[in-house]
Every structure is written in C-alpha cells, then in structure tokens.
Amino acid sequence: MDTIMTKNFTAKDKFNCPGADALKNHKDEIITVTDVMVGEFPDNDGVLTPNAYLKDENGRIYCSISSAVIRSSMALIEILEETDKVDVVARSKQSQKDREFLILELA
C-alpha cells in the first residue's frame, strides 16, 4: 500500500503520527477533518500495518487501524479534493461474531 496524503498533511504532521489519538477513544464525537493520510506504517514491533490518520481543524491527529475506517478515509480524500473540511463521526458497530469495529459516518 502506498502512502496517500491529501493537501494539508505536512512532514511535521507525519512525524507526529506516532503520538496520534486513537479514533476509538473519540466515538460519537463530531470531528472536522481537514486532511487524511492512509498507508502502511510500522507498529511498535516494526511490523508494517495499514493505518488511517485524520487531521482536524485544530491540527489534532487521530488514527485507526480499522479496515472500515481506512476504506472511508480513502473516500474522504476524494471529498477533501473538492472542499476544505468535512465533519465525520466515528461509530462503533458489532460484527456477526460479536466483535466491535469502527466505521466513519459523515455528520
């Protein structure tokens, strides 16, 4: 997977990604996203893992390894090519096997 960034994700933002807030800790909050970065990045053990990073209008960065959030983030990249910001909400869903996973919804 290539690293994909939209227009406002800076080198400083990318450097600060390891300190990003977990999106799962901000469920049901409206987040005004101004930028997105999606790609494979090393986890704490050095293993490349797909991640989505969302930057809000205050420069705060949120991250998720949820495949549903990563897919939605790819769609957000297209939306952000046409607008400066978009409001999203992270929601918790249950799988058929009773596992919790995150999705993004447009607010």
Side-chain angles (χ1 to χ4, degrees):
M1 174 185 290
D2 292 328
T3 301
I4 302 168
M5 294 184 274
T6 50
K7 59 188 171 203
N8 297 316
F9 221 97
T10 66
K12 178 183 174 185
D13 295 328
K14 190 172 180 180
F15 181 84
N16 288 333
C17 280
D21 286 337
L23 189 60
K24 67 182 179 183
N25 295 332
H26 297 277
K27 290 183 260 185
D28 302 319
E29 295 177 21
I30 295 176
I31 299 171
T32 302
V33 176
T34 60
D35 212 354
V36 176
M37 181 172 66
V38 175
E40 290 184 326
F41 303 95
D43 65 11
N44 291 337
D45 297 322
V47 177
L48 289 178
T49 306
N51 283 271
Y53 293 94
L54 309 174
K55 184 168 83 168
D56 74 9
E57 62 189 344
N58 298 315
R60 189 174 194 176
I61 300 172
Y62 305 85
C63 66
S64 179
I65 59 170
S66 163
S67 59
V69 170
I70 292 168
R71 284 191 305 274
S72 295
S73 296
M74 297 294 290
L76 279 178
I77 289 172
E78 291 181 29
I79 293 170
L80 287 169
E81 289 175 359
E82 298 177 12
T83 186
D84 290 336
K85 57 188 174 181
V86 63
D87 291 338
V88 299
V89 178
R91 302 267 190 223
S92 177
K93 296 287 184 180
Q94 292 293 121
S95 72
Q96 292 177 348
K97 296 180 181 180
D98 275 345
R99 292 189 56 157
E100 180 182 21
F101 65 98
L102 279 182
I103 65 166
L104 285 181
E105 295 178 352
L106 294 177

